Amino acid sequence: MSNTRVPPSIEPAAADAVAPCCPPLAERPLTAEEAEVAARMFKALGDPVRLRLFSAVASHEGGEACVCDISDVGVSQPTVSHHLKKLKEAGLLTSERRGTWVHYRVEPSVLAAMGKLLTAAPR
Amino acid sequence: MSNTRVPPSIEPAAADAVAPCCPPLAERPLTAEEAEVAARMFKALGDPVRLRLFSAVASHEGGEACVCDISDVGVSQPTVSHHLKKLKEAGLLTSERRGTWVHYRVEPSVLAAMGKLLTAAPR
DNA sequence: CGTCTATGTTGACAGCTGTCGAAACAGGTG
DNA sequence: CACCTGTTTCGACAGCTGTCAACATAGACG
């Protein structure tokens, strides 16, 4: 498999990737493309450190948190930055620099989209 | 190594891992252990092939499908078997041999648990 | 301007992961 | 019993991933 899906990382693709994602997993077999889009999001949450970072941001006041508030997850700060970058690339987080500190925010539509994916079919 | 029809391969960790998982991601920052458990499930769905296999099983009649019905995902059959094994180890699927064919079934509580994880906090 | 704190980037490395071909196993059929 | 089909396991390999130390950048402060 060697498909270069490394986007130009100019962020606008991020918001795009989440909204029109896929039907619930139990509704229809996903197509290859749908699966690739959805798998990217699941993969981003498939690491304990990233999951903790994401949860920390999501549960923080206003769904927004400074790096300094969430960087206590047991790994070095460069690693934290690396994971945050990956979450951002996956379209799950957005970042904004407010003076000295950088604030990360959860993209609300992401939770909705992923939640819908895991909706049980009314069978 | 296995001549019995009693499947000894039900790793206790697997069944354990699904039911008592974690609170919604946006409710509280996950602990390290919670994150590890949840990340295992997300990771299992973090591969396009596995996601398609899971979706194919989940959307099949009765939430159950024969390997022969879902093995058309673009990779060789050994690879399909490998991914199904991983999904089974993650506690997302269960397998049962009915004569010649092996049927995989979705563990219903898994969808519920993961759906709950992605529930937006009532903020 | 110089320095200090807060983040991000780079380069490198061990370890895991996905993939395949070949072989083994399970069960049905003639 | 021999044979055939469906499924899993084995062994191997390229490529991705997570991690860190060291360095670079951005803004604040004196």
Side-chain angles (χ1 to χ4, degrees):
Chain A
M1 95 151 126
S2 54
N3 24 18
T4 57
R5 81 281 322 251
V6 179
S9 76
I10 308 222
E11 277 102 301
D16 238 324
V18 286
C21 173
C22 317
L25 289 182
E27 192 170 302
R28 296 204 156 218
L30 295 184
T31 68
E33 297 132 15
E34 288 172 334
E36 208 146 333
V37 172
R40 205 184 314 165
M41 299 192 298
F42 282 116
K43 196 176 192 177
L45 295 180
D47 180 90
V49 173
R50 279 198 295 269
L51 198 53
R52 279 224 276 171
L53 290 172
F54 185 81
S55 175
V57 174
S59 64
H60 207 264
E61 187 129 0
E64 181 175 319
C66 164
V67 176
C68 54
D69 289 329
I70 60 175
S71 57
D72 189 18
V73 289
V75 294
S76 69
Q77 220 168 38
T79 302
V80 169
S81 186
H82 178 223
H83 284 306
L84 286 173
K85 185 182 175 185
K86 283 214 158 186
L87 286 168
K88 196 167 68 173
E89 284 174 358
L92 277 66
L93 294 179
T94 57
S95 68
E96 183 189 358
R97 177 155 225 148
R98 295 177 66 89
T100 304
W101 291 276
V102 177
H103 292 255
Y104 279 82
R105 197 189 321 177
V106 172
E107 193 60 48
S109 58
V110 173
L111 277 178
M114 295 192 74
K116 204 179 68 179
L117 261 173
L118 294 169
T119 300
R123 168 187 310 281
Chain B
M1 67 177 96
S2 64
N3 55 355
T4 66
R5 55 235 43 237
V6 180
S9 62
I10 308 275
E11 246 89 304
D16 237 324
V18 286
C21 174
C22 317
L25 289 183
E27 191 169 302
R28 297 203 157 217
L30 296 184
T31 68
E33 297 132 14
E34 287 173 333
E36 207 145 333
V37 173
R40 205 184 314 165
M41 300 193 296
F42 282 116
K43 196 176 191 177
L45 295 181
D47 180 271
V49 173
R50 278 199 296 269
L51 199 52
R52 278 225 277 170
L53 289 172
F54 185 81
S55 175
V57 174
S59 64
H60 208 262
E61 187 128 1
E64 182 177 318
C66 164
V67 176
C68 55
D69 288 329
I70 60 176
S71 57
D72 189 16
V73 288
V75 294
S76 68
Q77 218 168 34
T79 302
V80 169
S81 186
H82 177 224
H83 284 306
L84 287 172
K85 185 182 176 185
K86 284 214 155 185
L87 286 169
K88 196 167 68 175
E89 284 174 359
L92 276 66
L93 294 179
T94 57
S95 68
E96 183 189 359
R97 178 155 224 148
R98 294 177 67 88
T100 304
W101 291 276
V102 176
H103 293 254
Y104 280 81
R105 197 188 322 176
V106 172
E107 194 59 49
S109 60
V110 173
L111 277 178
M114 296 192 73
K116 204 179 70 181
L117 260 173
L118 295 170
T119 300
R123 157 190 323 277

